[in-house]
Amino acid sequence: MSEDLIEVTSDEDDLFEHYRIVADKGQGLIRLDKYLNLHVANASRTKIQNGIEAEAVRVNGLPTKASYKVKPLDIITLSLPQPPRDTEILPENIPLDIVYEDDALLIVNKPTGMVVHPAYGNWTGTLINGLVYHFQQLPTGRNGEGRPGLVHRIDKDTSGLLVIAKTEFAMSFLAKQFSDHTIERTYYALIWGEPKEAEGTIIGHIGRSIRDRRVMDMFPDGSYGKHAVTHYQVIKNLRYVSLIKCNLETGRTHQIRVHMKHLGHPIFNDTTYGGDKILRSVSSGKYKDMVESCFGLLPGQALHAKSLGFIHPTSREWVQFDTELPENFQAIIEKWENYLNY
């Protein structure tokens, strides 16, 4: 009986499953692709082969070929998109703002208020429902099930860019970059107040709150959660609020929102992390009216995934995509500029 040691962890932030397999000391020589087909549940031969080609599979820390013969005590690691769930996704004719498209991938600009994939309480009206309608052959789908083409996600009330894979190979190739944190992601956020430093780095583990499992929390001592790093820079100081640019080294759930709350500057109109309260004590009724009018303009938090950069799976060249801030986001900035000059 095989004594292979298999460890599996899931990454809810990037939608991958990570495997670490130590071959049994009595393991006979066998091709790597065949070995993985025997040891990785719910992974097709095509998915395994694409993972190997995309260098998402490593043996003893090094990328290798499908024909490599697995030897006793070899350490094999791989990161693959999670297998499909047993939930049917209904195609819906939802208009999509497609910024770019080629044979390998799509870049979609998601609006505020749209859920990325179906889940409890949001089975319809999601980005995935629209993608399944417009693109019937997206990878990881199984009769319309799973999360077709999805490599990463952003919150319902965050707007901005998402990359969607159109082939199995593109999904594996992009998944490897997300797993290695080599994807470049830049967000713009409007936060309450003025940070003491015009630019800086926030480092602190993020995990489910001990008090409320519905939200995330920061654990600076690293006692819980996952390592998270956010770099920020103030783009525009408006005294009461600041427009900042954030670059992510990691991709944890609610990362920017949690880090900015910890810094004492929650994102404007973030109802989950305290940004929907008037955080500066100003006696002027005009100030309160102005803030509330800004809240009314924005259906979610003032956070936008503005740019996305990565190595293209086909050309193997660096590609960069950018989008403008939503009109209501820009309108709020103008309101604060006018108020400051009033």
Side-chain angles (χ1 to χ4, degrees), residues 26-329:
Q27 174 66 50
L29 298 181
I30 182 174
R31 283 175 58 104
L32 177 62
D33 52 357
K34 291 184 178 180
Y35 178 87
L36 291 176
N37 278 135
L38 292 173
H39 290 81
V40 179
N42 300 318
S44 66
R45 183 178 179 183
T46 300
K47 188 180 291 293
I48 291 295
Q49 290 174 336
N50 281 319
I52 293 171
E53 290 179 20
E55 299 186 359
V57 178
R58 297 188 174 234
V59 179
N60 303 320
L62 299 174
T64 188
K65 297 181 179 180
S67 59
Y68 171 84
K69 298 296 193 299
V70 176
K71 300 176 178 63
L73 301 181
D74 272 347
I75 299 175
I76 304 166
T77 58
L78 60 155
S79 299
L80 297 175
Q82 289 186 1
R85 304 305 192 260
D86 294 326
T87 303
E88 182 181 5
I89 296 178
L90 299 176
E92 295 181 65
N93 187 8
I94 299 171
L96 301 176
D97 181 5
I98 299 175
V99 175
Y100 173 84
E101 179 184 0
D102 60 27
D103 291 340
L105 55 85
L106 299 165
I107 303 294
V108 179
N109 186 19
K110 185 190 82 69
T112 302
M114 176 182 280
V115 175
V116 172
H117 61 79
Y120 181 76
N122 294 284
W123 296 115
T124 60
T126 75
L127 177 66
I128 290 297
N129 292 111
L131 286 170
V132 169
Y133 178 89
H134 294 288
F135 304 94
Q136 286 79 30
Q137 303 300 320
L138 294 177
T140 76
R142 185 177 59 189
N143 298 324
E145 300 172 358
R147 295 169 179 171
L150 195 61
V151 184
H152 65 131
R153 57 189 172 193
I154 56 179
D155 300 334
K156 171 186 175 183
D157 290 331
T158 297
S159 57
L161 298 181
L162 284 162
V163 57
I164 306 296
K166 293 177 68 177
T167 68
E168 287 281 359
F169 178 76
M171 174 158 277
S172 296
F173 192 87
L174 292 167
K176 178 67 168 58
Q177 294 182 69
F178 275 97
S179 179
D180 291 345
H181 306 304
T182 56
I183 298 280
E184 182 180 293
R185 288 173 286 176
T186 301
Y187 288 71
Y188 271 37
L190 191 68
I191 60 173
W192 280 103
E194 308 168 75
K196 291 181 180 179
E197 303 294 334
E199 57 183 293
T201 299
I202 308 169
I203 303 175
H205 279 47
I206 290 177
R208 292 285 171 189
S209 170
I210 304 300
R211 298 179 299 275
D212 184 353
R213 301 293 293 175
R214 296 171 299 176
V215 301
M216 309 301 286
D217 207 347
M218 180 166 157
F219 301 85
D221 61 359
S223 60
Y224 180 69
K226 297 177 181 178
H227 178 64
V229 181
T230 302
H231 305 285
Y232 75 88
Q233 178 183 0
V234 176
I235 301 299
K236 188 171 293 187
N237 188 324
L238 298 171
R239 190 187 307 166
Y240 306 100
V241 295
S242 299
L243 179 65
I244 64 169
K245 176 173 71 173
C246 295
N247 288 100
L248 301 184
E249 272 193 31
T250 54
R252 308 307 178 200
T253 301
H254 298 178
Q255 178 170 320
I256 297 174
R257 300 165 67 187
V258 173
H259 273 171
M260 296 318 299
K261 177 188 177 182
H262 179 80
L263 198 64
H265 301 281
I267 294 177
F268 191 81
N269 203 32
D270 188 339
T271 59
T272 301
Y273 296 101
D276 60 335
K277 299 176 177 62
I278 299 177
L279 300 186
R280 184 156 181 163
S281 179
V282 176
S283 59
S284 169
K286 290 184 178 180
Y287 174 81
K288 181 180 178 181
D289 291 343
M290 204 282 296
V291 173
E292 290 181 346
S293 71
C294 287
F295 284 164
L297 281 175
L298 195 65
Q301 62 267 0
L303 180 61
H304 180 71
K306 193 172 189 302
S307 68
L308 191 61
F310 51 87
I311 297 175
H312 193 282
T314 303
S315 69
R316 305 300 174 94
E317 295 180 351
W318 183 261
V319 290
Q320 190 86 28
F321 301 94
D322 189 81
T323 185
E324 297 296 325
L325 292 176
E327 291 183 3
N328 52 2
F329 197 140

